Each structure stands twice: as C-alpha cells, then as structure tokens.
Amino acid sequence: MVDYDPKTALVVVDVQNDFADPAGSLYVRGGEEIVPIVNGEIERALAADAVVVYTQDWHPEVTPHFRKDGGIWPVHCVQETWGARFHPDLNVEGPPIHKGSGGEDGYSGFSMRDPRTGDRTPTSLQEVLTTRGIGKVVVAGLATDYCVVETVVDARALGYDTAVLSEAIRAVELQPGDGDRAIARMREAGAIVER
Ligand code: VGL
Ligand code: ZN
C-alpha cells in the first residue's frame, strides 16, 4: 500500500468506456475489474488530501493513431463520444487531462507525440502537478503496456518519486508478455511496483 499526503498525486490513467467496458472498441481484458480498486485508492488519496487527476485519451475522428488513417488502433476514445467518457462507476474527483486531442499519439499522460514528425508537446498534467507542489506520483489505470508504462517512465524522467499499483492496472497484450515487459520497464525506470 502506498501512503498519500498533500504532495502526492494519484494519476488515474484512461479509465474510459472504450478500454474498461466489455463493449468498448479497444476493451482491455479485465478493465472493468480495476474500477472498484481504483475507487478505493481515490478514497484513500482524498482522505489524505492528495491530488487526484484523471487522464483521458481524447482523439479526433481522424488521426494517424487509428488503423483506418494509417496507424495501428481501432477507432477509440473519440472526443465527446460514449467511448471517451469515464467508466460510469469511476469516482471522478479531480481534473481531466486530455491527450491526443490534436491527432497526436497520446500514450503518456505527460506528453503527446506527433506520429509523423516525432515532436513532443506537453499535456496539462505537469503544470497541474507543479502548481500543487507534487513530488510523488502514484499511477493506476489502463493500459499497462501503453499509457500506464509511458506515464510512469515520463514521471521518472521528470524526477518524481513514482509508484504503480499492480492490482489496479491491466494490459492490452497485443503480444503475450507485453504486460510483464511493461512492468519490468517501469522497475528499470526506478518506479516502485506496489500491490
Ligand atoms: C491506449 C492504445 C491506444 C492506452 C491509448 O490508454 O493505453 N492504448 N491509445
Ligand atoms: Zn489512443
């Protein structure tokens, strides 16, 4: 169990219908199972006056992130649609952080990458954390092998003490073992893996 305090932020990554609902277009197996676990963590965080923020994959209808437009993914999390909304059972008690809005690949909660040029632009996450004087980041959500791992690795690169909650994440696993490899990458980056 991680300890929360006012200088800690719980970053809830992409607990959105397209990932967390079995009817979602990029459903992550077991995604719905993490919702009550994440809610419990949110409650503990808020009780300790920690900051809770929520990233949201937030794509336009046309983006090179999607297979139909040259990328690798089925259409998912299109801005303002059901699939992009938070899972209805998620307890939302903090600001949404949109990523991918301009057609970029939005894997990390901290930055977005233009798949054509490789250029990175920051999301609003770092600003929110800096404003609140955050030193430690705790990450939960979807998916382990994409947005969770990239968010964790970026958090470490930015100098935050970082923990990831192993029971509150699930992997896409396009290739078997991707989830375990992502966890190894997070450990190598200096993140602590907690239950
Ligand atoms: C994600 C694939 C495509 C994620 C987002 O939230 O992990 N995965 N877009
Ligand atoms: Zn996406």
Side-chain angles (χ1 to χ4, degrees):
M1 265 220 287
V2 297
D3 290 323
Y4 291 96
D5 61 38
K7 298 295 172 204
T8 298
L10 173 61
V11 178
V12 177
V13 174
D14 296 7
V15 181
Q16 296 166 265
N17 288 322
D18 270 340
F19 300 123
D21 187 303
S25 64
L26 191 41
Y27 173 58
V28 179
R29 200 148 45 88
E32 76 280 25
E33 296 165 6
I34 72 163
V35 176
I37 302 170
V38 172
N39 281 342
E41 211 58 33
I42 292 165
E43 221 164 277
R44 292 205 313 117
L46 293 174
D49 286 324
V51 174
V52 183
V53 300
Y54 302 76
T55 69
Q56 241 174 340
D57 216 25
W58 201 248
H59 299 299
E61 281 174 27
V62 176
T63 163
H65 184 68
F66 293 159
R67 193 183 296 136
K68 70 174 177 64
D69 304 312
I72 64 168
W73 301 109
V75 172
H76 63 276
C77 298
V78 173
Q79 296 161 16
E80 310 294 353
T81 64
W82 171 83
R85 276 183 218 129
F86 292 121
H87 188 285
D89 297 337
L90 182 68
N91 184 18
V92 182
E93 300 279 358
I97 310 283
H98 290 163
K99 58 193 177 58
S101 329
E104 314 88 334
D105 279 336
Y107 295 123
S108 166
F110 287 97
S111 66
M112 301 172 289
R113 186 185 147 275
D114 187 316
R116 279 174 286 225
T117 63
D119 289 348
R120 288 194 167 273
T121 45
T123 67
S124 55
L125 179 55
Q126 207 186 337
E127 193 186 310
V128 170
L129 301 190
T130 304
T131 305
R132 302 286 294 261
I134 297 301
K136 180 170 125 193
V137 168
V138 180
V139 179
L142 304 169
T144 308
D145 38 356
Y146 291 92
C147 292
V148 169
V149 63
E150 297 303 332
T151 300
V152 165
V153 168
D154 267 2
R156 286 296 305 138
L158 292 165
Y160 295 104
D161 286 339
T162 309
V164 59
L165 303 174
S166 63
E167 292 183 346
I169 58 179
R170 291 291 185 278
V172 177
E173 303 243 314
L174 284 185
Q175 305 292 331
D178 281 354
D180 286 343
R181 280 188 287 274
I183 288 176
R185 255 187 83 199
M186 294 190 266
R187 282 212 171 92
E188 276 157 31
I192 291 167
V193 181
E194 293 265 1
R195 288 191 60 221

